[in-house]
Amino acid sequence: MTTKDYDRWLDEVLQGTGRRVLDAGCGRGELAAELTRRGHAVTAIDVSEAAVAAARASGVPARLADLADYYDDEPFDAVVMSLSLHHMHPLGTVLGRASELLGEGGVLVLDEFAWDWADAAAAAWFYDAASLLAAGGLADFPREAGRDPAERWREAHEDHATGAAMLAAVAERFEVRDVRREPYLSRYISGKLTNGSTELVNELWRIERERIASGALPPTGLRLTAVRL
Ligand SMILES: C[S@@+](CC[C@H](N)C(=O)[O-])C[C@H]1O[C@@H](n2cnc3c(N)ncnc32)[C@H](O)[C@@H]1O
């Protein structure tokens, strides 16, 4: 699912249509399908057989491949990584490969989640909202009474790359053009919803945006564009 704001950002960073785009870590292929609809020539890869099968089942001709050793005959105009880089390691190896896959002026586009940007308030907001939705039968999410939210958050995410590590690894291999901090927790929870209600998703976004604007919550989403050195 994409939002208007997300669509605008993608159009801005991909600059027009007809771009040769690599979606690295495509998952079920939603983004690859959307970029194809917008006229880009998309190659979608994922290291998971289940993800590739799901993407193919939805009409995206995804390939089973690891970004760390993926090669292509022609350079890409853009390498897009949506919520995949924080699962990859070592960061330097995959980002080095992403850089080599890009042509002159090629752009790296990261749409990421920086778990280390969440504070105790963010962890509590996330688990409280998800637990309430689960209690109402609207989300598939384990409720864990009595757990400290900040500790639970850390345990759940500490094996993922941090925002700080991703930013540093990108800056070593690319010229960073733009970094934005965005809402993310509502998107995270939306992925757990069992009924996919647009109203519920929009309401989560509204609340998170307003709490970020008032300073009650930190942004935990990271959007970055960078060009190869
Ligand atoms: C959280 S999912 C994100 C999927 C999709 N891009 C999205 O935004 O919904 C992360 C995906 O990255 C894939 N992945 C992790 N490491 C990878 C690697 N080294 N090369 C290619 N894909 C990888 C995983 O298999 C998984 O499908």
Side-chain angles (χ1 to χ4, degrees):
M1 191 205 67
T2 60
T3 63
K4 280 190 182 134
D5 160 61
Y6 186 63
D7 290 352
R8 263 196 303 275
W9 176 69
L10 277 177
D11 285 342
E12 182 189 318
V13 298
L14 293 178
Q15 296 171 355
T17 58
R19 298 287 173 189
R20 197 159 186 274
V21 179
L22 176 68
D23 180 354
C26 65
R28 304 175 63 84
E30 285 107 338
L31 178 60
E34 179 63 29
L35 294 174
T36 303
R37 268 194 295 278
R38 287 160 192 237
H40 299 294
V42 183
T43 299
I45 63 165
D46 201 288
V47 77
S48 149
E49 283 185 21
V52 169
R56 286 189 182 160
S58 70
V60 172
R63 300 181 196 171
L64 185 65
D66 186 334
L67 175 61
D69 53 23
Y70 181 71
Y71 290 85
D72 205 285
D73 294 338
E74 283 179 56
F76 289 95
D77 298 312
V79 173
V80 174
M81 301 177 79
S82 167
L83 301 175
S84 56
L85 183 64
H86 71 268
H87 289 287
M88 299 185 187
H89 55 86
L91 290 175
T93 305
V94 287
L95 287 170
R97 199 78 280 287
S99 167
E100 285 159 14
L101 286 161
L102 286 168
E104 191 70 31
V107 61
L108 172 74
V109 180
L110 286 190
D111 178 31
E112 263 297 347
F113 153 56
W115 71 268
D116 54 316
W117 293 354
D119 58 11
W125 188 85
F126 173 79
Y127 288 116
D128 288 352
S131 297
L132 280 170
L133 291 167
L138 300 171
D140 183 10
F141 195 82
R143 284 177 278 156
E144 293 185 19
R147 287 286 308 276
D148 173 59
E151 186 190 299
R152 185 177 174 191
W153 179 267
R154 169 164 287 281
E155 272 177 25
H157 299 100
E158 63 192 352
D159 60 334
H160 298 167
T162 61
M166 290 188 283
L167 284 172
V170 170
E172 265 182 45
R173 292 159 189 86
F174 294 83
E175 183 188 319
V176 177
R177 287 280 164 87
D178 186 42
V179 176
R180 300 183 193 182
R181 294 182 171 226
E182 298 282 340
Y184 177 73
L185 299 177
S186 46
R187 181 170 162 195
Y188 197 165
I189 295 172
S190 298
K192 314 277 182 198
L193 294 178
T194 46
N195 76 349
S197 152
T198 307
E199 200 177 344
L200 192 46
V201 171
N202 288 342
E203 189 63 355
L204 282 167
W205 272 103
R206 179 194 68 75
I207 296 170
E208 186 182 9
R209 279 194 182 283
E210 289 186 9
R211 297 299 167 268
I212 289 172
S214 71
L217 287 179
T220 45
L222 161 64
R223 286 191 193 153
L224 175 151
T225 49
V227 291
R228 54 168 285 191
L229 290 172

